[in-house]
Amino acid sequence: MTENKNAHQKPVRRNRVATAVCFAAALITAGVVGSQSATAAVAGHPATAARPFAVAAVASGLGSADLVQSEDLFRQGLNPVGATVALTGREALSACSGEETMRGLTKGTATAYASVTWSFDTDSRLTESAASAPTRTSAALWEKQLVALVQDCQDEPAGHWYYGAAHTLTATGGTARWYPAYSGDGTVSGGVAVLRSGTRVAVVELSGRPGGAPASFEGIAAAALNRLSS
């Protein structure tokens, strides 16, 4: 049984609300418009063709190229069909954090923000939100705060989705803590990772279990860390 975590929000006292996202999957929009957000999709090519696609957006040295790309997802057996990119830091960090945003967590002091939300051909999504800190000390503090948010969702009442035990990843220039996610019946349903590379921090989460997704979230966490560290 596959369960979408967004359908099991925390009690009102924890003030966690899921964010609904709409995706346009008809045309590739190459520019960044309005509030510096955009959508992208493979036009005229089925997602199963494994053709890489993404929106190019950069702000002060941090941009979409530093986040998970479609080719990373294809390698993990995922089938992305569209993406929404933003540079505002105002997107909800994860299903666990609810209304918390990267801009809120950093109190607006980051030198740049970047986020992407990938849609799939099933009722699932992958979100990543990153920030560039003015100092390594600030980055370490933000990393600690993100880890605390994730760990707050490890101990949940019976029947609720939850995050499992932490696993550590190390790559050239960066480290990550990734956690598998489980639905209320104990089925693996994605995962979440907190990443840090120098003055950059990020959180990436796969909600639900898209068709063909690997049982382990480690591959996605490793790909995200490599992108952030590049």
Side-chain angles (χ1 to χ4, degrees):
M1 174 179 177
T2 301
E3 181 178 356
N4 191 328
K5 298 201 299 292
N6 295 329
H8 294 273
Q9 299 304 310
K10 305 298 172 186
V12 175
R13 65 183 175 80
R14 309 247 329 245
N15 193 28
R16 288 174 178 153
V17 180
T19 302
V21 181
C22 295
F23 300 95
L27 299 173
I28 297 178
T29 304
V32 179
V33 297
S35 61
Q36 290 188 303
S37 65
T39 59
V42 176
H45 299 283
T48 53
R51 297 174 62 89
F53 61 99
V55 175
V58 181
S60 302
L62 179 66
S64 61
D66 304 305
L67 307 178
V68 171
Q69 301 295 307
S70 61
E71 60 200 78
D72 301 324
L73 303 177
F74 283 128
R75 291 192 188 102
Q76 296 303 315
L78 300 172
N79 196 27
V81 297
T84 298
V85 172
L87 304 176
T88 63
R90 292 189 171 91
E91 297 69 38
L93 290 178
S94 71
C96 180
S97 66
E99 293 181 327
E100 181 64 274
T101 66
M102 190 65 83
R103 183 172 289 274
L105 182 135
T106 64
K107 295 180 172 55
T109 60
T111 59
Y113 299 95
S115 68
V116 63
T117 301
W118 287 99
S119 61
F120 301 95
D121 55 359
T122 58
D123 186 21
S124 300
R125 68 177 185 174
L126 183 141
T127 60
E128 183 177 7
S129 183
S132 181
T135 66
R136 287 179 176 267
T137 299
S138 295
L141 174 61
W142 298 349
E143 178 189 27
K144 182 177 180 179
Q145 292 172 324
L146 287 169
V147 168
L149 283 175
V150 169
Q151 291 180 340
D152 194 35
C153 286
Q154 287 182 306
D155 185 15
E156 296 297 319
H160 283 260
W161 66 266
Y162 62 96
Y163 295 136
H167 302 266
T168 301
L169 274 174
T170 301
T172 303
T175 59
R177 292 183 180 87
W178 70 271
Y179 309 72
Y182 297 91
S183 60
D185 63 1
T187 303
V188 176
S189 57
V192 65
V194 175
L195 322 170
R196 181 187 168 197
S197 177
T199 57
R200 293 177 175 181
V201 295
V203 58
V204 59
E205 178 169 35
L206 176 65
S207 302
R209 181 118 181 250
S216 174
F217 184 71
E218 183 175 7
I220 293 174
L225 182 58
N226 286 333
R227 294 286 182 182
L228 194 70
S229 303
S230 61

